[in-house]
């Protein structure tokens, strides 16, 4: 398996990815697992695939957007062109999936928020995308979560390229009478967005900001599920 993350200049992001993949290795000891990054950190996808006869390329991305639709296919085209005989199975992105909501709930619980507390409104914050379809998926997750639990409310927000911003969402909920507002970052790893979300939402009056998803058992299980699905159902790309 070659797990592909976005990549960040913040070293905490790559450290978190490696911690998650260590969980995956412990869950499936016989499965070789390599990491790769689309930007800002080594190795590239092509470098991670080098020397392999066959691989599952698995995006460590929470929504289907530009990186999964454009960047990864382009990197695969380049990699397979220079690796005759390389066979690649493409996995789908991690989200959306119920295990991600379970992981979000665990992070909120760890932060001291009672699960489904009717006096707590939740802001589900994603990084945001220029692709409205990706933002709509996050809004759909928020809506489903609101119906599944007796939270005061669950609303989506976007750290970039979407509306409302996390701070705007917190302020609106408080103006609407929410007794407390908790923020649930729909982010894989710490970095610029996570830090900004925490700073801005606390300043806007949020009671609690949970940790990012990070290396959780739920994510490790989901990575392995996507790996298995790719071997069964994905199209196979072969090098020239």
């Amino acid at each position: 398996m070659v797990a592909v993350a976005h990549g960040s200049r913040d070293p905490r992001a790559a450290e978190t990815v490696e911690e998650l993949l260590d969980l995956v290795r412990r869950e499936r000891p016989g499965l070789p697992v390599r990491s790769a990054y689309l930007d800002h950190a080594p190795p590239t996808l092509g470098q991670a695939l080098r020397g392999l006869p066959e691989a599952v390329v698995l995006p460590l991305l929470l929504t289907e957007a530009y990186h999964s639709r454009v960047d990864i296919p382009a990197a695969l085209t380049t990699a397979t062109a220079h690796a005759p005989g390389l066979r690649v199975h493409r996995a789908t992105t991690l989200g959306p999936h119920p295990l991600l909501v379970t992981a979000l709930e665990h992070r909120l619980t760890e932060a001291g928020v009672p699960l489904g507390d009717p006096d707590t409104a939740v802001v589900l914050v994603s990084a945001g995308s220029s692709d409205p379809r990706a933002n709509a998926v996050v809004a759909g997750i928020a809506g489903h979560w609101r119906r599944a639990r007796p939270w005061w409310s669950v609303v989506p927000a976007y750290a970039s390229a979407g509306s409302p911003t996390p701070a705007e969402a917190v302020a609106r909920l408080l103006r609407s009478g929410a007794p407390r507002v908790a923020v649930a970052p729909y982010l894989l790893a710490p970095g610029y967005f996570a830090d900004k979300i925490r700073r801005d939402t606390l300043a806007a009056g949020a009671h609690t900001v949970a940790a990012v998803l990070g290396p959780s058992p739920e994510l490790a299980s989901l990575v392995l599920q996507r790996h298995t699905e790719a071997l069964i159902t994905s199209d196979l790309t072969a090098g020239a």
Side-chain angles (χ1 to χ4, degrees):
M1 177 201 303
V2 177
V4 190
H6 179 276
S8 170
R9 292 185 178 90
D10 190 321
R12 295 175 297 168
E15 290 168 3
T16 299
V17 168
E18 297 305 329
E19 289 171 7
L20 171 60
L21 296 182
D22 281 343
L23 285 181
V24 172
R25 294 180 184 103
R26 287 199 287 273
E27 286 285 322
R28 191 79 58 82
L31 176 65
V33 178
R34 296 182 180 183
S35 59
Y37 299 91
L38 293 173
D39 205 358
H40 303 307
T44 65
L45 179 55
Q47 289 168 339
L49 288 168
R50 194 169 295 158
L52 296 177
E54 185 169 359
V56 171
V57 171
L58 193 152
L60 293 180
L61 304 170
L62 300 179
T63 55
E64 182 82 16
Y66 187 85
H67 294 304
S68 58
R69 292 193 177 105
V70 178
D71 288 342
I72 290 177
L76 277 176
T77 298
T78 301
T80 54
H82 292 86
L86 171 63
R87 294 157 54 87
V88 175
H89 306 264
R90 278 193 62 196
T92 59
T93 56
L94 297 180
H97 194 280
L99 279 171
L100 291 172
V101 176
T102 302
L104 289 165
E105 291 181 338
H106 283 177
R107 292 301 185 221
L108 284 169
T109 301
E110 290 170 354
V113 179
L115 181 58
D117 177 22
D119 288 329
T120 298
V122 177
V123 179
L124 175 66
V125 185
S126 79
S129 172
S130 57
D131 187 335
R133 293 171 294 180
N135 295 339
V137 167
V138 175
I141 295 169
H144 183 270
W145 198 7
R146 182 173 59 248
R147 293 187 293 272
R149 298 287 189 190
W151 301 109
W152 195 88
S153 184
V154 181
V155 300
Y158 309 94
S160 69
S163 180
T165 68
E168 288 170 345
V170 169
R172 289 178 189 176
L173 287 167
L174 291 172
R175 286 197 302 269
S176 298
R180 284 183 298 277
V181 177
V183 176
Y186 188 63
L187 302 173
L188 180 66
Y192 171 79
F193 280 139
D195 291 346
K196 188 174 190 303
I197 289 165
R198 173 173 291 277
R199 182 175 63 251
D200 291 355
T201 55
L202 289 174
H207 180 265
T208 305
V209 181
V212 297
L213 293 165
S216 68
E218 295 87 359
L219 261 70
S221 295
L222 182 52
V223 167
L224 288 169
Q225 180 176 323
R226 294 301 196 214
H227 175 265
T228 299
E229 291 168 353
L231 287 174
I232 296 171
T233 64
S234 77
D235 294 331
L236 190 66
T237 301

